[in-house]
Amino acid sequence: KGATSALDGVALALPALMRAEKLQKRAARQGFDWPDPAGPAAKVREELDELAAAGTKAEHFDEAGDLLFAAVNLVRAHGIAPEDALRGANAKFERRFRGMEALAAERGADFAGLTLDQQDALWNAVKARE
């Protein structure tokens, strides 16, 4: 009752990723949505370029938010719940990172003391085991 926008009622207290998805779904119900994943994919590329071109901290902040919002839209366009996808990615990263640390320890190396290239080689080794 009393709603003036299709976006009314999307709780401010939601986690940002979930709120972005809900806002986009509400807008989509009003016809404001890409017809296929190509649109949001192009938008993600555009936002990446804008983030790279940003000059000030404030511009970087704005463009980073736009990039994340566009990524939510792209994931949603593929029929995937962004929150679930990110949870899965977090779990995979944690599993692989812990695997890198363990592999470094098996080799008698201090993980933090390795170069990024050496750490990346460990990442690839752990990833290949999966």
Side-chain angles (χ1 to χ4, degrees):
K1 276 190 168 178
T4 60
S5 169
L7 304 180
D8 287 351
V10 178
L12 289 169
L14 288 172
L17 187 68
M18 193 176 295
R19 187 160 196 273
E21 180 184 18
K22 286 187 179 284
L23 289 169
Q24 290 173 13
K25 283 182 175 180
R26 292 274 184 99
R29 281 189 283 213
Q30 301 300 310
F32 190 66
D33 203 6
W34 302 100
D36 58 55
K43 190 66 172 172
V44 166
R45 286 189 287 278
E46 175 187 321
E47 296 301 344
L48 277 168
D49 291 343
E50 290 177 5
L51 179 59
T56 67
K57 194 78 166 165
E59 289 171 345
H60 278 102
F61 182 87
D62 274 351
E63 296 305 336
D66 291 349
L67 174 60
L68 291 170
F69 193 83
V72 168
N73 209 0
L74 177 58
V75 170
R76 192 180 60 77
H78 284 282
I80 299 165
E83 189 73 27
D84 295 342
L86 187 55
R87 271 198 189 96
N90 286 345
K92 180 171 52 176
F93 176 82
E94 184 176 4
R95 181 181 67 247
R96 288 179 179 172
F97 190 87
R98 290 176 185 276
M100 292 167 56
E101 292 173 317
L103 189 53
E106 287 172 21
R107 295 177 179 178
D110 172 37
F111 181 80
L114 299 174
T115 66
L116 183 55
D117 285 340
Q118 291 169 319
Q119 290 176 343
D120 192 47
L122 289 174
W123 177 269
N124 290 329
V126 169
K127 186 176 174 183
R129 289 180 178 176
E130 293 185 347

